[in-house]
Amino acid sequence: VSTALLTLAVDLGPTGLWWTHLLVMVGIYAVLGLSLNLINGYGGMFSLGHHGLFAIGAYVAASVTNAGLGDVPGPLLFLVSAAAGTLAAAAGGLAIGLPCLRLRGDYLAVATLGFAEIVRILIQNLPKGVFGGSEGLNVPRVLMEVTPDTRGDFRLLWAALVIVVVALTALVVRNVVRSARGRALLAVAQDETAAGLLGIDVTRSKVMAFVLGSAGAGLAGALYAHYQGKLLPGDFEFPVMVSILLVVVLGGLGSITGCIVAALVLRYVEQVLQLQGQDDLPLGAIELPAAVGPWLREWWLVVYALILVLLMIFRPHGLFGSRELPDLLRALRRAPRAKGSAA
Amino acid sequence: LLDDFLLNGLGQGAIYAFIALGYTMVYGIIRLINFAHGEVVMVGAYAGYFVLEGSPLTGVPAFLVAILAGGLASGVLAVLIERLAYRPVRRAGRIAALMTAVGVSLLLQNLALRCFGATPRPCPDALGLGAEGNKLLVFGMLVALAPVLRWLVLGTRTGRAMRAVSEDADAARLMGIPTDRVIAATFFLGAVVAGVGGVMLAATYGVVQHDLGFLPGMKAFVAAVIGGIGSIPGALVGGLVLGLLEALLPFFLRSAGWDEAFAWKDAIAFAFLILVLVVRPTGLLGRPERVKV
């Protein structure tokens, strides 16, 4: 059954295929980072369970797709499954958030990490018919068949889709933070006791941020499921959480553009490193010297962890802090003039 | 049959208690969840493994040297981590510190993966006790350790300084207590105990691998929370409670007709953590922390 919207059979070539794939991964991590930023950045909480919510979104979207296959038209099924994944993750966030958000920072971190572990064990241990167990779960292609001819179309469609989703997510986060509820959340993040004394419903603010953030993780999971076409429990282990955390920390706790830039930088580095030592790199992928490239590819995870530690020591608020890209550019432009007037 | 599970629970629980002690001591003194503690355990296990595998010693001397090497390696590593990574962020807030700890954990785990490889290595059983004997041994060691720890914390000058810093670090500094050194000593002591736990973990299960510390580390944290984090007797009690719970609950569930209960024991432990955190966040023996305005 071909459910393709249109078949252009665009030939992107290796360069185009590489860049579109990179863009999709950047988009998924940007959505994950933006949603975690709502919890860990703006909300001042510390969740280590985002990968569990990501998994819930992915597996629920995949299950819904499998269940509705054949009965529902492809694009509709895609939308319904994505909505189901998002809602399921939001419900998961509510289930863990309601009891645990009364806990202070570090307790919350461990409770959410425990929750994500439970999700992973659930996926792995439930009978194979439910989530595929350790053999993985296939996600049928409902937007477009992927054949050698339509690979370019598929990647282009996804790149466009992901850009739209990232833009919408960024918009939602921005509007939430600027709303009255969002300002209440920022106050809670600064000082819970003081915010509570001012009449802000502390628990409600935190639960709202947590559930919204969870929904974002679910949405990213649904995108991931449909793009990858196959889910494995190993895709949702703790290193994924660290990757998301690094996007948020590198970008700045409480910066939207920072998150997107950080996702771009981190995914680019990761994808480029995977190519090191090969011939014919796609255009725009930097080839490191032979002495460094393969070595860095081997030791990347060590270097990665080192970056996280050094970042926390030297710039604990991330590269951007809570500022946005336009603010930074303006500050950079103003800096020389300010120096001149001072002298 | 129940005896076997009881022994399993006590042995596993004693290992959790060994690891949980470090968590609880560090948390007690600087309010940091030392996320890298599980990796400190792993390094201790590797140190013990290299002694058992590489030295000409056999039997009891080999075991004693392995325990010593494991404890020392872990202790030195923990002091280094504290000095290089945690001290610079100590004033930057709890979330920055916690994130640093997550980074250190990932760093050590991947460093071990690159240096020692991904395949688990079989660890020799120096005393020839087998898994059962080692479980009994580790429980015995825990029983012997408890009064020593009690003396260290309640009866020595350093112990008194630790309690003072834990009560109020700034006041302790003003009273002339070298807080930095006391904090380093706490890391060292907690890690030595954890390193011994790591060697026993390797001896009991007969393998060492790069992520050997991650899950037991997390479970030990659960144990520390159950007992009341910050409380040393709490860590001992919490470790044993968690070990027994993990061994006995699936046993009863299986008797009740649920065949796969054992595959779910990790999930049971984490669900129990969430339950404890919700119902009694200060744990069995912990003191509630006052919120100051």
Side-chain angles (χ1 to χ4, degrees):
Chain A
V1 190
S2 173
T3 42
L5 295 172
L6 69 170
T7 312
L8 298 167
V10 186
D11 184 13
L12 290 174
T15 299
L17 283 175
W18 188 77
W19 276 101
T20 43
H21 173 70
L22 176 65
L23 207 61
V24 175
M25 293 319 278
V26 169
I28 288 170
Y29 270 87
V31 173
L32 284 170
L34 284 169
S35 54
L36 186 66
N37 212 343
L38 210 52
I39 301 170
N40 288 19
Y42 297 107
M45 295 171 265
F46 194 79
S47 166
L48 282 179
H50 224 53
H51 56 309
L53 298 160
F54 182 43
I56 291 180
Y59 274 92
V60 167
S63 302
V64 169
T65 310
N66 278 314
L69 194 69
D71 301 333
V72 186
L76 183 65
L77 188 54
F78 172 76
L79 287 178
V80 169
S81 68
T86 309
L87 285 177
L94 191 67
I96 185 69
L98 271 184
C100 290
L101 287 175
R102 289 182 302 129
L103 304 169
R104 249 205 355 263
D106 30 20
Y107 281 103
L108 178 66
V110 178
T112 46
L113 181 54
F115 169 75
E117 274 296 307
I118 293 176
V119 169
R120 195 183 57 80
I121 295 167
L122 221 61
I123 290 169
Q124 222 155 18
N125 283 2
L126 281 175
K128 223 171 62 183
V130 186
F131 288 131
S134 47
E135 283 167 33
L137 183 63
N138 281 315
V139 191
R141 302 290 184 191
V142 287
L143 278 185
M144 186 185 276
E145 297 285 339
V146 188
T147 62
D149 282 343
T150 59
R151 211 147 63 111
D153 293 359
F154 180 77
R155 293 271 173 96
L156 269 183
L157 172 75
W158 269 91
L161 186 70
V162 147
I163 288 174
V164 172
V165 174
V166 170
L168 284 177
T169 311
L171 198 69
V172 168
V173 171
R174 194 193 74 146
N175 286 351
V176 164
V177 174
R178 287 185 179 182
S179 71
R181 291 265 169 77
R183 293 197 187 283
L185 179 69
L186 295 181
V188 170
Q190 290 237 319
D191 190 332
E192 239 173 74
T193 320
L197 289 173
L198 285 172
I200 293 170
D201 189 340
V202 172
T203 309
R204 191 172 147 175
S205 284
K206 287 164 96 177
V207 169
M208 176 205 72
F210 199 84
V211 169
L212 264 178
S214 305
L219 178 61
L223 289 177
Y224 183 80
H226 280 286
Y227 179 67
Q228 291 288 356
K230 174 152 191 151
L231 298 174
L232 289 165
D235 297 348
F236 303 95
E237 281 176 359
F238 189 62
V240 175
M241 180 65 227
V242 180
S243 287
I244 308 170
L245 196 60
L246 200 52
V247 166
V248 176
V249 174
L250 189 69
L253 292 157
S255 170
I256 292 170
T257 41
C259 244
I260 297 171
V261 171
L264 184 68
V265 170
L266 287 170
R267 289 313 109 200
Y268 176 81
V269 171
E270 193 189 75
Q271 297 285 331
V272 162
L273 284 176
Q274 282 178 9
L275 293 176
Q276 296 305 316
Q278 292 178 16
D279 305 327
D280 295 328
L281 263 59
L283 215 63
I286 298 167
E287 186 173 7
L288 294 167
V292 186
W295 178 86
L296 198 58
R297 187 180 152 186
E298 290 275 289
W299 288 79
W300 169 233
L301 276 173
V302 176
V303 177
Y304 198 67
L306 203 60
I307 295 174
L308 179 60
V309 174
L310 291 177
L311 202 66
M312 289 326 295
I313 293 175
F314 294 108
R315 277 206 72 103
H317 299 290
L319 292 181
F320 280 35
S322 59
R323 283 175 299 186
E324 298 294 347
L325 194 57
D327 302 342
L328 273 184
L329 294 178
R330 219 173 298 139
L332 282 178
R333 243 181 289 138
R334 227 178 266 150
R337 245 183 293 156
K339 254 181 226 154
S341 63
Chain B
L1 189 64
L2 185 60
D3 290 357
D4 292 345
F5 287 101
L6 209 60
L7 177 63
N8 264 338
L10 285 180
Q12 188 62 48
I15 291 177
Y16 288 153
F18 267 92
I19 306 172
L21 278 165
Y23 271 119
T24 222
M25 289 169 79
V26 165
Y27 191 88
I29 204 157
I30 56 170
R31 305 284 181 271
L32 165 74
I33 295 177
N34 183 7
F35 224 88
H37 194 57
E39 277 56 51
V40 169
V41 172
M42 176 268 295
V43 169
Y46 266 105
Y49 160 80
F50 283 122
V51 168
L52 293 178
E53 193 64 63
S55 80
L57 298 169
T58 50
V60 178
F63 176 74
L64 290 178
V65 174
I67 289 280
L68 204 66
L72 266 183
S74 290
V76 170
L77 177 69
V79 171
L80 278 178
I81 295 172
E82 194 275 327
R83 183 70 196 85
L84 296 176
Y86 295 163
R87 200 178 296 180
V89 296
R90 208 186 291 155
R91 299 247 164 227
R94 292 166 87 152
I95 288 187
L98 191 56
M99 259 192 254
T100 311
V102 171
V104 172
S105 161
L106 193 71
L107 179 68
L108 290 174
Q109 215 182 97
N110 282 297
L111 215 54
L113 176 64
R114 291 256 62 94
C115 296
F116 306 135
T119 39
R121 303 180 183 202
C123 180
D125 183 6
L127 299 178
L129 293 173
E132 308 290 292
N134 272 310
K135 278 176 187 157
L136 213 54
L137 176 67
V138 69
F139 181 67
M141 284 165 74
L142 185 72
V143 173
L145 177 74
V148 177
L149 268 180
R150 190 185 150 81
W151 170 73
L152 276 175
V153 175
L154 296 179
T156 64
R157 266 178 80 85
T158 314
R160 202 185 313 157
M162 281 176 191
R163 282 179 291 139
V165 176
S166 152
E167 198 73 37
D168 188 333
D170 288 324
R173 190 175 18 254
L174 292 174
M175 298 296 149
I177 293 173
T179 45
D180 280 346
R181 228 184 299 160
V182 172
I183 290 170
T186 310
F187 268 89
F188 184 76
L189 185 58
V192 167
V193 175
V196 173
V199 176
M200 290 312 293
L201 189 65
T204 308
Y205 291 100
V207 284
V208 281
Q209 62 193 88
H210 69 282
D211 59 356
L212 141 150
F214 189 72
L215 198 60
M218 245 162 57
K219 297 285 195 56
F221 180 78
V222 175
V225 172
I226 291 173
I229 194 152
S231 148
I232 290 178
L236 301 178
V237 172
L240 292 176
V241 166
L242 184 65
L244 287 173
L245 184 86
E246 269 190 19
L248 296 181
L249 192 59
F251 173 75
F252 289 125
L253 287 176
R254 198 174 64 174
S255 312
W258 187 22
D259 287 338
E260 297 151 62
F262 278 92
W264 295 86
K265 77 177 172 53
D266 293 346
I268 291 173
F270 290 115
F272 192 61
L273 165 78
I274 294 173
L275 191 73
V276 169
L277 283 175
V278 170
V279 178
R280 196 179 156 84
T282 51
L284 296 172
L285 304 177
R287 282 184 301 178
E289 203 171 313
R290 268 162 302 162
V291 180
K292 287 180 212 154
V293 182

